[in-house]
Amino acid sequence: MKLEAKEAEDRTQAKEIQIRTARVQDAEKLLEIYTPYVEKTAITFEYEVPDVKEFTRRIKNTLERYPYLIACQEGEVFGYAYTGPFVGRAAYGWAAEVSIYLKEDKRGKGIGRKLYGAVEAISKAQHILNLNACIGYPEAEDAYLTKNSVQFHAHMGYSMVGEFHKCGYKFGNWYNMVWMEKEIGAHDAHPAPVIAFPDLDAEIVKKCTVLDSYSLPGSFLPSVP
């Protein structure tokens, strides 16, 4: 299938996907998505799969201030994305770290782009100005880690801003870690206070989750999330 036809098909399929806020009841399904990333990849540097109780705690903690979104269709969960504090000091309050995980058989279908589009729109509504992604990066691709995540973020408008060498050890291999960044707002002398996710108007959140993510900068690359 030609790239243009594949992109059009993915776009149509992605439009049928609903984006909603995660609930603590979703923890088990989300953990099922996350587990292969821990057990079979170096995409996450985590060694042990957390239990449902711990994963529930993570969801609850995130939702106290940041969005935690799910992509689903007819009750089936395809993936999730969320933001969290960048470093954590007060001066970093207008920046957020973003993460995404998709089911293994749902990569390359535009779902990741739709999730990130919703996360970005909500972050703008919160008055977040910078989105940052911490990404495992191999010097040479192997069975555990490729450069697809960096490619995906680049096509979503993120720029490479830093690389740490051989700082992650997993599966007997040393991996680099990179930071990528996207500025999504103007950095004025007096920025508006950041609004916690629970304090956003429900209608604003709803509008953010149904936008056409293909209007965002960058063209979709089918080989990445």
Side-chain angles (χ1 to χ4, degrees):
M1 183 181 294
K2 292 183 178 180
L3 178 60
E4 294 83 0
K6 178 67 164 59
E7 181 176 331
E9 180 181 343
D10 290 337
R11 181 173 181 173
T12 299
Q13 292 177 351
K15 281 187 175 180
E16 299 174 354
I17 304 299
Q18 289 78 48
I19 306 295
R20 66 167 174 83
T21 301
R23 300 184 287 262
V24 292
Q25 296 92 328
D26 297 311
E28 189 169 354
K29 289 184 177 180
L30 300 188
L31 183 56
E32 289 177 1
I33 294 174
Y34 182 62
T35 294
Y37 287 92
V38 178
E39 295 180 335
K40 300 193 298 184
T41 82
I43 291 173
T44 173
F45 283 176
E46 193 161 18
Y47 277 15
E48 302 294 333
V49 177
D51 60 24
V52 173
K53 182 178 179 180
E54 166 59 17
F55 210 79
T56 300
R57 184 194 65 80
R58 295 180 187 185
I59 295 171
K60 290 175 64 176
N61 284 355
T62 297
L63 286 171
E64 288 177 1
R65 189 162 182 80
Y66 298 96
Y68 201 124
L69 304 181
I70 288 177
C72 57
Q73 186 177 31
E74 297 179 352
E76 182 180 359
V77 177
F78 294 153
Y80 62 96
Y82 59 91
T83 59
F86 176 68
V87 180
R89 302 296 186 188
Y92 293 106
W94 288 266
E97 182 178 349
V98 62
S99 301
I100 185 170
Y101 294 95
L102 302 180
K103 291 184 71 171
E104 294 175 287
D105 62 346
K106 298 301 180 182
R107 295 169 60 87
K109 300 182 182 297
I111 299 170
R113 185 181 187 97
K114 187 165 185 174
L115 274 168
Y116 254 34
V119 165
E120 182 175 322
I122 289 172
S123 297
K124 287 181 178 179
Q126 291 183 275
H127 302 148
I128 296 290
L129 303 177
N130 290 44
L131 291 176
N132 302 278
C134 179
I135 304 168
Y137 193 68
E139 292 186 350
E141 294 186 333
D142 60 25
Y144 304 108
L145 189 63
T146 69
K147 298 180 180 180
N148 278 1
S149 185
V150 166
Q151 294 168 350
F152 167 69
H153 283 84
H155 281 265
M156 290 299 295
Y158 286 70
S159 300
M160 187 83 72
V161 292
E163 182 170 4
F164 297 84
H165 299 92
K166 295 180 174 65
C167 59
Y169 182 77
K170 192 172 182 180
F171 302 123
N173 302 306
W174 286 103
Y175 295 104
N176 297 355
M177 182 272 285
V178 300
W179 278 103
M180 298 186 74
E181 179 182 66
K182 184 175 184 179
E183 295 185 8
I184 61 173
H187 293 74
D188 299 324
H190 301 286
V194 174
I195 303 172
F197 178 66
D199 296 333
L200 285 178
D201 184 272
E203 283 302 312
I204 291 177
V205 174
K206 182 178 180 180
K207 289 179 181 179
C208 290
T209 60
V210 297
L211 57 76
D212 180 4
S213 59
Y214 281 79
S215 65
L216 294 171
S219 58
F220 177 65
L221 190 64
S223 63
V224 297

